[in-house]
Amino acid sequence: MKKLISSPESVVVDALRGMAAAHPELSVDLERRIVYRARPKEHGTVALVSGGGSGHEPLHAGFVGFGMLDAACAGAVFTSPTPDQVLDATRAVDRGAGVLHIVKNYTGDVLSFELAAELAAEARIDVRTVVVADDVAVTDSLYTAGRRGTGTTVLLERIVGAAAEQGFDLDEVHALAERVAAAGRSMGIALSGATVPAAGRPTFTLGDDEIEWGVGSHGEPGRERQPMAAAPELAARLVQPLIDDGLGTGDAIVMLSGLGATPLIELYGMLAAVTPLLEQHGVRPVRVLVGDYITSLDMAGCLLTVLPVDDELLSYWDSPVDTPALRWGRS
Amino acid sequence: MKKLISSPESVVVDALRGMAAAHPELSVDLERRIVYRARPKEHGTVALVSGGGSGHEPLHAGFVGFGMLDAACAGAVFTSPTPDQVLDATRAVDRGAGVLHIVKNYTGDVLSFELAAELAAEARIDVRTVVVADDVAVTDSLYTAGRRGTGTTVLLERIVGAAAEQGFDLDEVHALAERVAAAGRSMGIALSGATVPAAGRPTFTLGDDEIEWGVGSHGEPGRERQPMAAAPELAARLVQPLIDDGLGTGDAIVMLSGLGATPLIELYGMLAAVTPLLEQHGVRPVRVLVGDYITSLDMAGCLLTVLPVDDELLSYWDSPVDTPALRWGRS
C-alpha cells in the first residue's frame, strides 16, 4: 500500500484538518468529525444533514455550504457515522424549522440516522428522512437491504439544498427530496479494487483484462465480472440497466463521477460515448458534471447517474451554490 | 493497460467530444483540436491562448471561459500542439487588442508557440508570450531546456485572465503574467508512473515502497528515488525545495493538485501536513485549491504550487470566473 497518509488510524481526521485549512468557510469539529458551515443559515430555515463512511470524498463534507448541506458527519473509512454524531449535527444545525436527514441506503447508515432521529424527536427537533437507493446494479448486497444509495445523493443535496435556502418548509423539502430520490438512477463499473488504509490491500482484485459491473462503493460485489471492453461498449452496458429500470426521459442532469483513480481525460471520453445513447433513449443531458464527486478511495472506474428533471428542478439546480466541490453563481 | 477509452488513437478527440457534450458554453473544434469560448469576449479586449500536450486535464481546455483562457490547443498525449494549431487559435480569438500566449517550458511547446507568434505577427496580430518555468525540482530534463513549467500555469491563467477581462492592455497583461510566473514555485512527487495509451505501459515503474521526487509531468526523471514515507515527512520534502529556491512569504495562493490517480482524501491529508510548514516559513495560505488541476494521466502523486500574492493579485483571483474546472462568483 502506497498512500499519501500519516497513518491508517489518522487518515479521516487528517483529511478533515486539511479541509479546515483549505476552506475557512467551513467549521470543522475534529473531535466529533462533523463539518459545518462557518456561518449557519438563518433562523426559521430548514437544515440538511448528511454523512456516511469516509472514502467517498468530496461526498459529503465537500458539499457543505450555501445551497447544499448544513452539516456532514464523517464515519471511519467505509464505516457509518454513529447515532451520537448525527444527533450532535442535527442539534447544532436546527434553526427551529426542522432538519432533513439525507441517508444513503446502507444498513449501518440507516440505523444510525434512525436512532439519531428518534433522539432528536425526544429533544423536540422535527426530523424527516430521505433514503437514497438509486443503484440499479443489485438489490440486497453485502452491506445493504434493498438497493444501495449512490450518485443521486449528490444531485439531491444540491436541489433540495436550494429549496431549503429559498424558504421551503420541512414537509415541502422532504417531498422534493423523495421526488428526486425516486427519479435518479445510477450504475457503475470498477477497473480496480479500493485499498482501505487499515487493511492495506485492495478489497478485491481483478484480472488485467477484467472489470466488475455494478460494483458497490465499498467494493461489494456487483452483477458480474466481464472482460474489459472499449468505451462505446462500456457506455452501452452502463446506460441500458438505467433504461431497463424505468429511467424517465426528457431533460436530465447527468453526472459521470470518477471513483478516485480515473483521470478526467478518460471520464470525458466515456461521457462522449454515453451521451448519444442517452439521447437515443430520449434523455437530453441539459446539465452535466464530469469529475470526482462520489468516489471509493483509490478505485479506478466510473459511476453514471442520470436524473430526469423539469424546469422547476432545474431552477433549483442552477441557483447559487457555494461549497468546496460545487460552486457557482455567488461571490 | 485498462482504461476507459475507445482506442489509443482517438483518446484526445473523444475527450474533446465529451467536453463539448458536457459544456455548451465551450465551442470545440474537433478537427483542429482547439477549445474556444462559445461566446467570444468583447472587441478591444486582450485574449489569452494556451495549450500543450493532452493528458494533463483539466489543463488547459478546462480553463477556457470567462475570466481565464479564450482558447486552448490540445496536442496529442504528452505531445506539443503544432504551430498551425496555435496560429489558428490566435487568429480566432484576437479582438484587436492582441493575444497573450501562455506557454509551459517544454522545448516542443516553446517552439510551436514561437513559430505561431512569428506567423501571427506577419498577419499583424500583436502577440506577447509568457513562459512558465516554475518546477524547482530539476533544470535541463528530458524534454526541457531550463526548468519545466507546471502548476503556476493554472494560477497565472486565472489571475491574468481576470486582468484581461477588466480591460488591461497587452503590455499590462504581459507584465502581470511575468510577475506571476516569476513568483510561483512548484514541486511534485510520483507514487506511480503514467500509462500513455499508445504505449500501453507505464512511463516508469517504482518499487512497492519507492517514490520519485520532483518527477516531470510526462514521467521524466526527477531528483531522486527514495523510500516511501508518512505524510508529514513527504510534506517537509515538498516544501523545503520551494523555500530553498527563494519562495516569497506573506499571503499566498496554494494549490495541491492530484496527478490523476490520487483521491481527495489523501490530498486533503497532505494539505494538512503542508500547511503548518508553510506557515512556519511565513507563508499564509489565503486561498487554497485541492483536487485535480494539472495531472499526468493516471499517475499517483501530487504537485504542490505556492504563489505569494499581494492584495492586487488576490483581487484578480477572487473576481468572477466561469470555466469547467474553476467557477465562482458569476451566474
Side-chain angles (χ1 to χ4, degrees):
Chain A
M1 177 179 67
K2 222 171 1 173
K3 286 179 184 283
L4 301 173
I5 62 173
S6 293
S7 72
E9 297 69 35
S10 68
V11 64
V12 172
V13 167
D14 288 341
L16 290 175
R17 286 196 297 125
M19 290 206 74
H23 308 294
E25 68 276 18
L26 299 179
S27 166
V28 181
D29 180 340
L30 290 176
E31 197 177 331
R32 310 292 294 161
R33 304 201 287 200
I34 304 172
V35 176
Y36 299 100
R37 306 183 189 189
R39 182 191 297 189
K41 62 176 32 154
E42 277 176 36
H43 195 79
T45 314
V46 172
L48 273 56
V49 172
S50 194
S54 292
H56 305 300
E57 294 68 23
L59 192 80
H60 293 276
F63 300 122
V64 172
F66 183 87
M68 289 189 85
L69 300 176
D70 295 271
C73 304
V77 172
F78 290 179
T79 303
S80 301
T82 65
D84 274 3
Q85 253 180 307
V86 178
L87 178 63
D88 283 354
T90 303
R91 282 178 185 275
V93 301
D94 179 41
R95 314 303 292 156
V99 178
L100 180 74
H101 284 178
I102 301 170
V103 186
K104 298 192 302 304
N105 191 36
Y106 295 94
T107 304
D109 287 18
V110 170
L111 287 174
S112 280
F113 276 89
E114 259 177 18
L115 189 50
E118 283 169 23
L119 295 169
E122 287 173 18
R124 298 177 186 238
I125 301 172
D126 208 358
V127 172
R128 298 276 189 293
T129 301
V130 61
V131 176
V132 180
D134 64 321
D135 186 343
V136 307
V138 294
T139 49
D140 296 336
S141 67
L142 200 54
Y143 300 99
T144 322
R147 284 186 168 175
R148 301 173 302 215
T150 180
T152 299
T153 316
V154 175
L155 311 185
L156 187 152
E157 289 176 358
R158 162 75 280 245
I159 288 171
V160 174
E165 224 66 67
Q166 289 170 27
F168 280 46
D169 70 25
L170 185 58
D171 284 332
E172 293 167 332
V173 164
H174 183 231
L176 182 66
E178 292 290 356
R179 200 176 136 203
V180 172
R185 301 280 185 282
S186 292
M187 175 77 187
I189 50 173
L191 276 59
S192 79
T195 298
V196 176
R201 56 178 192 283
T203 49
F204 62 93
T205 51
L206 291 167
D208 280 350
D209 194 39
E210 203 178 32
I211 54 178
E212 175 93 22
W213 284 91
V215 68
S217 59
H218 313 103
E220 310 93 302
R223 290 188 168 192
E224 56 185 333
R225 290 187 180 185
Q226 290 195 344
M228 186 61 187
E233 191 181 333
L234 298 179
R237 282 151 65 191
L238 277 176
V239 170
Q240 193 59 48
L242 307 184
I243 296 173
D244 293 344
D245 195 74
L247 178 69
T249 56
D251 289 353
I253 299 170
V254 172
M255 180 173 78
L256 188 70
S257 180
L259 299 184
T262 291
L264 216 39
I265 190 170
E266 295 182 40
L267 294 176
Y268 273 114
M270 274 299 290
L271 184 79
V274 160
T275 303
L277 301 175
L278 289 173
E279 286 170 346
Q280 280 167 29
H281 176 61
V283 173
R284 197 167 37 250
V286 291
R287 301 290 183 277
V288 180
L289 295 180
V290 179
D292 282 1
Y293 293 98
I294 173 168
T295 61
S296 299
L297 294 171
D298 53 358
M299 194 182 282
C302 67
L303 176 79
L304 174 65
T305 299
V306 182
L307 174 69
V309 290
D310 58 14
D311 288 350
E312 186 198 355
L313 293 187
L314 214 48
S315 77
Y316 303 137
W317 180 263
D318 286 340
S319 72
V321 59
D322 189 359
T323 73
L326 274 192
R327 194 175 177 201
W328 56 70
R330 192 159 183 262
S331 299
Chain B
M1 176 179 67
K2 222 171 0 173
K3 285 178 183 283
L4 301 172
I5 62 173
S6 293
S7 73
E9 296 71 34
S10 68
V11 64
V12 172
V13 168
D14 289 340
L16 291 174
R17 286 196 296 125
M19 289 206 76
H23 307 295
E25 68 276 17
L26 299 179
S27 166
V28 181
D29 181 340
L30 290 176
E31 197 176 332
R32 310 293 293 162
R33 304 203 287 200
I34 305 172
V35 176
Y36 299 101
R37 305 184 190 188
R39 183 192 294 189
K41 62 178 30 157
E42 278 175 37
H43 195 81
T45 314
V46 171
L48 272 56
V49 172
S50 192
S54 293
H56 306 300
E57 293 69 22
L59 192 80
H60 292 276
F63 299 123
V64 172
F66 184 87
M68 289 188 84
L69 299 177
D70 294 271
C73 303
V77 172
F78 290 178
T79 304
S80 301
T82 65
D84 276 2
Q85 251 180 308
V86 178
L87 178 63
D88 284 353
T90 303
R91 283 178 185 274
V93 301
D94 179 40
R95 315 302 292 157
V99 177
L100 180 74
H101 283 177
I102 300 170
V103 186
K104 298 191 302 303
N105 192 36
Y106 295 95
T107 305
D109 287 17
V110 170
L111 287 173
S112 280
F113 276 90
E114 258 177 19
L115 190 50
E118 284 169 22
L119 296 168
E122 287 173 19
R124 298 178 187 240
I125 301 172
D126 209 358
V127 172
R128 299 276 189 293
T129 300
V130 62
V131 176
V132 180
D134 64 320
D135 186 344
V136 307
V138 295
T139 49
D140 296 338
S141 67
L142 200 54
Y143 300 98
T144 322
R147 284 186 171 176
R148 302 173 301 215
T150 181
T152 299
T153 316
V154 175
L155 311 185
L156 186 151
E157 290 176 358
R158 161 76 278 248
I159 288 170
V160 174
E165 224 67 66
Q166 289 170 27
F168 280 46
D169 71 24
L170 186 58
D171 284 332
E172 292 166 332
V173 164
H174 183 231
L176 182 65
E178 293 289 358
R179 199 175 136 203
V180 172
R185 300 280 186 283
S186 293
M187 176 77 185
I189 51 172
L191 276 58
S192 79
T195 298
V196 175
R201 56 177 193 284
T203 48
F204 62 91
T205 50
L206 290 167
D208 281 349
D209 193 40
E210 203 178 32
I211 54 178
E212 176 92 23
W213 284 92
V215 68
S217 58
H218 312 104
E220 310 93 301
R223 289 187 168 191
E224 56 184 334
R225 291 186 181 186
Q226 289 195 344
M228 185 62 188
E233 191 180 333
L234 298 179
R237 283 150 67 192
L238 277 176
V239 170
Q240 194 59 48
L242 307 184
I243 295 172
D244 293 344
D245 196 74
L247 177 69
T249 56
D251 289 351
I253 299 170
V254 172
M255 180 174 77
L256 188 69
S257 180
L259 299 184
T262 291
L264 215 39
I265 191 170
E266 295 182 40
L267 295 176
Y268 273 115
M270 275 298 289
L271 184 79
V274 161
T275 302
L277 301 175
L278 289 174
E279 286 170 347
Q280 280 167 28
H281 176 61
V283 173
R284 197 168 35 249
V286 291
R287 300 291 182 277
V288 180
L289 295 180
V290 179
D292 282 2
Y293 292 98
I294 174 169
T295 62
S296 298
L297 293 170
D298 53 359
M299 194 183 284
C302 68
L303 176 79
L304 175 65
T305 299
V306 181
L307 175 68
V309 290
D310 58 14
D311 288 348
E312 185 198 357
L313 293 187
L314 214 47
S315 76
Y316 303 136
W317 179 264
D318 287 339
S319 72
V321 60
D322 189 359
T323 72
L326 273 193
R327 194 175 177 202
W328 56 69
R330 192 162 183 260
S331 301

